[in-house]
């Protein structure tokens, strides 16, 4: 006799396979959308805990959607919380470094411009570009992950790179 669908997610082995399959990608997407300051990997862990607590209520075919929704909502709540925190507190940088002041200044300027250009990209271009260049995923893997064709992924990455090249001299080939 076949097991109930709800028992499948509550099974420790199946749950751990679900974790192995989606945790890293979910963490990366949250990182790309919200940055590293908000601890996206912690939110992924919390989303899995919430899934485990509600495993009897979540169908296996809805587990991925559930995880992505819960993690995204947690990140949005954290963004709201950080706005309140930053309103009353300033983050102090470390006082020392081995790098020259000129290098530090150029690095900060470049990172600020780079993040600005990345934030101005369309979300789908930014996600495809970062999955390709930071995570090293192939176009086919990105296409499967995003649910689009390989050509669409190639176009998004190409468009993102062209925008970066147009706005940042460091991206131009010499």
């Amino acid at each position: 006799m076949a097991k109930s669908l709800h028992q499948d997610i509550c099974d420790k082995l199946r749950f751990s396979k679900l974790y192995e399959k989606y945790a890293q990608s979910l963490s990366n997407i949250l990182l790309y959308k919200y940055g590293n300051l908000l601890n996206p990997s912690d939110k992924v862990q919390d989303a899995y805990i919430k899934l485990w607590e509600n495993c009897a209520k979540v169908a296996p075919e809805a587990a991925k959607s559930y995880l992505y929704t819960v993690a995204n909502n947690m990140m949005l709540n954290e963004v709201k919380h950080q706005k309140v925190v930053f309103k009353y507190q300033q983050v102090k940088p470390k006082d020392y470094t081995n790098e020259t002041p000129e290098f530090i200044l150029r690095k900060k300027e470049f990172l600020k411009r780079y993040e600005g250009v990345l934030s101005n990209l369309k979300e789908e271009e930014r996600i495809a570009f970062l999955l390709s260049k930071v995570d090293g995923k192939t176009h086919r893997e990105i296409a499967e992950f995003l649910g689009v064709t390989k050509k669409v992924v190639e176009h998004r990455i190409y468009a993102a790179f062209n925008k970066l090249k147009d706005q940042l001299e460091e991206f131009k080939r010499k």
Side-chain angles (χ1 to χ4, degrees):
M1 183 168 192
K3 289 184 179 180
S4 165
L5 288 177
H6 297 299
Q7 291 175 343
D8 289 348
I9 284 187
C10 293
D11 178 54
K12 290 179 185 177
L13 179 62
R14 293 180 199 255
F15 189 84
S16 84
K17 287 183 181 180
L18 188 70
Y19 179 84
E20 290 170 8
K21 186 172 183 180
Y22 298 119
Q24 186 62 48
S25 296
L26 177 56
S27 179
N28 290 342
I29 285 180
L30 294 177
L31 174 69
Y32 300 152
K33 285 178 85 173
Y34 301 104
N36 199 27
L37 289 176
L38 302 177
N39 300 320
S41 55
D42 289 351
K43 302 304 180 276
V44 171
Q45 296 296 322
D46 293 342
Y48 274 94
I49 290 170
K50 195 165 185 108
L51 176 63
W52 181 254
E53 291 170 349
N54 295 307
C55 67
K57 301 174 187 172
V58 179
E61 55 274 0
K64 178 180 176 183
S65 174
Y66 181 85
L67 285 168
Y68 280 65
T69 302
V70 167
N72 192 52
N73 288 343
M74 287 179 178
M75 288 300 285
L76 291 172
N77 289 340
E78 185 68 21
V79 167
K80 288 178 186 175
H81 174 70
Q82 288 302 321
K83 285 181 181 178
V84 172
V85 169
F86 286 133
K87 187 175 182 180
Y88 296 103
Q89 158 188 347
Q90 290 181 338
V91 177
K92 294 183 180 180
K94 63 182 182 179
D95 296 343
Y96 61 91
T97 182
N98 295 332
E99 299 165 337
T100 66
E102 179 186 356
F103 178 79
I104 294 170
L105 181 62
R106 291 179 66 212
K107 180 179 164 183
K108 284 181 183 178
E109 288 172 354
F110 172 75
L111 287 175
K112 189 174 181 179
R113 291 183 323 186
Y114 179 68
E115 289 173 354
V117 174
L118 278 178
S119 67
N120 288 333
L121 293 175
K122 294 179 185 172
E123 183 176 339
E124 59 268 4
E125 290 174 350
R126 181 176 54 252
I127 290 172
F129 179 79
L130 292 173
L131 284 171
S132 173
K133 302 304 177 194
V134 175
D135 286 355
K137 294 199 181 282
T138 65
H139 293 178
R140 177 164 289 143
E141 290 172 332
I142 297 168
E144 290 173 6
F145 181 74
L146 297 176
V148 296
T149 65
K150 184 179 166 191
K151 280 290 186 193
V152 169
V153 169
E154 290 170 356
H155 176 73
R156 289 177 181 176
I157 293 170
Y158 180 77
F161 188 70
N162 278 337
K163 290 176 184 175
L164 286 167
K165 225 170 36 172
D166 289 342
Q167 297 179 25
L168 299 171
E169 287 184 26
E170 294 83 355
F171 271 79
K172 294 179 182 172
R173 294 188 184 221
K174 296 177 180 173

